[in-house]
Amino acid sequence: MADLYPSLAHCAIVAAAFKVLLFPAYKSTDFEVHRNWLAITHSLPIQEWYYEKSSEWTLDYPPFFAAFEWLMSQAAVYADPAMLIVKNLGYDSWQTVYFQRSTVILTELVLVYALSRFVKSVPLPNRQAAHVASLSILLSPGLLIIDHIHFQYNGFMYGILILSIVLARKQSTLLYSGILFAVLLCMKHIYLYLALAYFVYLLRTYCLSLKSVFRPRFGNIFKLGVGVVGVFAIAFGPFAQWGQLLQLKDRLFPFSRGLCHAYWAPNIWAMYSFADRALISLAPRLGLPVNTSALNSVTRGLVGDTSFAVLPEITKEYTFILTFLFQLVPLVKVWFNPGCWDTFVGAITLCGYASFLFGWHVHEKAILLIIIPFSLIALKDRRYFSAFRPLAVAGHVSLFPLLFTASDFPLKTIYTVLWLVLFLFVFDRVAPVPERPRIFLFDRLSLLYLTISIPLIIYCSLGHQLIFGWDRLEFLPLMFMSSYCALGVVGSWVGFMVVYFTS
């Protein structure tokens, strides 16, 4: 590890210093969400945590994350006790801001530790590539934008995910991998999107004999079952005893929200919504009926708003079926290729793709569910990197609408562009030549996509306002950006599916 420079520790220190400078930066409603959760968990008995609704930002994460907030609140009382008063809605003293932003930086040490374990776990000839991939995750513009400006704790939880993935690399630590992933599910339920990949991999690799599926390992089944059930019993057992499981279900899974989030996460439904918008003007010429009641409310991300003017409506059932089917496809390879860690990580990535592309009310922040696990294998060879490249561009650029103030524009743009130029260049140098021939068309389309993205970003960020002003066609930049980023994510998904099944 001594020859790997700059080290993870050096970069973590420099990154932390830079993030401290961002303390006064824009903070979203998520900042108030987490301040409110600190107050709820500190000031109220556990039985009231999931019933309290003084604020519209009610507690809607699983019990382990609530316990995490409670733990932080024990230190918060020394920073500013007023932040822990439930009725202090919107409270943001400088002590509160500094405390909460500091906790994001400190808990991100879990990510640093997990990445160091990842680098040490790979064979020596591939360690440099693993180190580069680790640095790209640690310095990710996605984590910078979402956690350290917008405000969340994704770095901490992705650290747990990466550590779980690393533990799945060896037969001797598979049990700990499954238990740790169960802990993660009890912290943030969005990781359910990846649960099928874990279930199939652990079942086939740990619970059944590698030589025959008809030879169960009863000892391993018992240990894994007790471990996972024990984790969920600790997390949800008290609430079951108090008869609150239905209340938790309603808080964790609010299905009343619309198909598309307000920012149009770059997925299939963003492209579907764009097509519906385009067809509104063409419908009379094509003889298509138009739902006039939906003209002013087409998928703007509001609660319950899923109306389309021309195209058929999409229901929750459709999105669930599509997500489930496209998650099952890569798991076939996991089942028939047991014990292959790269296949497992690829399956996690493709499960992330399926949930992001076809899920209901997907947030743009969920793109990290694809980018981060994919980064671990993006440098396996140039075919993998070719599929990763458009995802890296589209995924990070799609996060720009989260920071919409004028002062944030140079920060998010310059940092993201520098990250893309640096790491895509280094990835291109480090990624080895594949054993199988690359697909010429995919490579050229990937480069074409990157080329077009540059003028599009300039137009959406600056050009539109200069041409039309601030009050005319204000929806166009966001619609163009979401749809074009969706094209990149879908193209990356198709490309990686080809690579995954031909490797």
Side-chain angles (χ1 to χ4, degrees):
M1 295 291 288
D3 59 336
L4 297 178
Y5 184 84
S7 70
L8 277 168
H10 291 152
C11 290
I13 293 170
V14 173
F18 175 65
K19 291 164 186 174
V20 168
L21 298 177
L22 298 177
F23 278 8
Y26 161 79
K27 56 186 184 298
S28 73
T29 53
D30 279 346
F31 181 87
E32 167 60 15
V33 169
H34 288 278
R35 186 216 59 81
N36 185 50
W37 293 358
L38 283 173
I40 289 173
T41 56
H42 186 270
S43 305
L44 301 177
I46 298 177
Q47 294 92 326
E48 298 179 25
W49 286 2
Y50 288 95
Y51 285 90
E52 209 291 322
K53 54 180 181 180
S54 300
S55 167
E56 61 180 310
W57 315 118
T58 54
L59 181 59
D60 58 5
Y61 274 25
F64 278 2
F65 194 87
F68 169 70
E69 292 279 4
W70 173 85
L71 187 63
M72 290 193 297
S73 75
Q74 305 310 300
V77 70
Y78 297 103
D80 185 356
M83 81 171 79
L84 301 175
I85 299 175
V86 176
K87 302 298 181 182
N88 270 359
L89 304 182
Y91 187 79
D92 63 348
S93 67
W94 71 265
Q95 294 97 329
T96 303
V97 173
Y98 279 45
F99 173 80
Q100 288 195 238
R101 291 207 183 276
S102 296
T103 59
V104 177
I105 295 174
L106 289 173
T107 55
E108 207 171 51
L109 290 174
V110 175
L111 177 64
V112 177
Y113 172 73
L115 291 173
S116 68
R117 287 287 301 267
F118 165 64
V119 174
K120 293 175 182 177
S121 71
V122 302
L124 193 60
N126 301 327
R127 197 156 289 182
Q128 182 185 22
H131 182 66
V132 171
S134 296
L135 291 180
S136 75
I137 295 173
L138 178 64
L139 303 176
S140 165
L143 290 176
L144 182 79
I145 290 172
I146 297 174
D147 282 9
H148 300 281
I149 304 177
H150 192 266
F151 196 85
Q152 280 190 3
Y153 290 91
N154 289 285
F156 164 59
M157 286 182 283
Y158 278 111
I160 298 175
L161 175 65
I162 291 173
L163 186 57
S164 174
I165 293 173
V166 171
L167 291 173
R169 194 160 205 156
K170 294 181 179 179
Q171 186 74 23
S172 59
T173 53
L174 270 173
L175 174 62
Y176 307 120
S177 172
I179 293 174
L180 193 58
F181 184 71
V183 170
L184 184 61
L185 289 177
C186 293
M187 294 201 73
K188 192 170 183 178
H189 48 301
I190 193 174
Y191 294 100
L192 279 170
Y193 289 147
L194 313 179
L196 270 181
Y198 268 88
F199 175 78
V200 173
Y201 184 74
L202 290 172
L203 175 64
R204 186 65 186 90
T205 307
Y206 186 74
C207 297
L208 302 176
S209 171
L210 295 176
K211 298 179 179 179
S212 173
V213 297
F214 300 107
R215 292 170 55 189
R217 300 174 175 179
F218 292 108
N220 287 357
I221 294 172
F222 176 77
K223 287 186 288 186
L224 183 60
V226 169
V228 172
V229 172
V231 168
F232 280 93
I234 293 171
F236 293 95
F239 298 96
Q241 187 176 3
W242 300 325
Q244 295 185 4
L245 288 184
L246 287 179
Q247 176 67 13
L248 260 72
K249 187 266 293 181
D250 291 339
R251 283 288 181 88
L252 299 182
F253 302 100
F255 286 116
S256 60
R257 295 173 181 174
L259 172 67
C260 292
H261 187 244
Y263 287 148
W264 277 19
N267 60 9
I268 291 291
W269 309 127
M271 299 171 72
Y272 192 84
S273 302
F274 179 84
D276 186 73
R277 281 286 183 182
L279 285 172
I280 291 174
S281 58
L282 297 176
R285 301 177 188 177
L286 300 175
L288 298 174
V290 177
N291 178 10
T292 55
S293 65
L295 291 178
N296 295 323
S297 62
V298 177
T299 60
R300 292 186 180 275
L302 304 177
V303 173
D305 180 14
T306 57
S307 298
F308 291 95
V310 180
L311 295 176
E313 298 293 344
I314 302 297
T315 66
K316 301 177 184 68
E317 292 76 17
Y318 291 161
T319 62
F320 175 80
I321 291 171
L322 287 171
T323 301
F324 182 69
L325 289 177
F326 281 109
Q327 285 194 346
L328 283 182
V329 173
L331 299 181
V332 174
K333 185 174 181 180
V334 176
W335 183 263
F336 289 104
N337 191 21
C340 180
W341 185 81
D342 288 344
T343 301
F344 169 56
V345 180
I348 289 177
T349 303
L350 288 170
C351 283
Y353 269 114
S355 59
F356 184 84
L357 290 174
F358 299 100
W360 179 268
H361 196 79
V362 174
H363 286 236
E364 62 288 321
K365 292 169 281 192
I367 193 67
L368 294 182
L369 276 175
I370 312 171
I371 294 176
I372 288 182
F374 199 166
S375 299
L376 301 179
I377 55 173
L379 292 175
K380 184 177 180 181
D381 62 42
R382 288 181 177 272
R383 298 172 77 227
Y384 282 76
F385 172 59
S386 181
F388 177 78
R389 187 164 44 193
L391 171 70
V393 175
H396 289 118
V397 170
S398 71
L399 297 173
F400 281 9
L402 290 173
L403 307 180
F404 49 82
T405 64
S407 59
D408 292 319
F409 172 75
L411 175 62
K412 68 183 181 184
T413 306
I414 293 172
Y415 187 88
T416 302
V417 169
L418 286 176
W419 185 93
L420 289 171
V421 170
L422 173 62
F423 281 102
L424 293 185
F425 174 77
V426 175
F427 275 28
D428 189 58
R429 297 289 298 271
V430 173
V433 176
E435 296 179 1
R436 292 176 178 268
R438 297 159 68 185
I439 301 175
F440 178 84
L441 180 62
F442 279 176
D443 284 350
R444 294 303 174 266
L445 288 176
S446 175
L447 290 174
L448 178 63
Y449 180 82
L450 299 182
T451 304
I452 297 176
S453 67
I454 297 172
L456 182 68
I457 293 171
I458 295 173
Y459 169 78
C460 292
S461 301
L462 294 174
H464 181 83
Q465 287 77 17
L466 295 176
I467 298 171
F468 296 103
W470 293 97
D471 301 324
R472 291 182 58 202
L473 303 174
E474 67 277 7
F475 66 90
L476 272 182
L478 183 57
M479 185 172 68
F480 284 151
M481 185 70 75
S482 296
S483 301
Y484 191 74
C485 288
L487 188 63
V489 177
V490 172
S492 172
W493 173 59
V494 173
F496 184 55
M497 285 280 276
V498 172
V499 173
Y500 178 78
F501 282 106
T502 58
S503 298

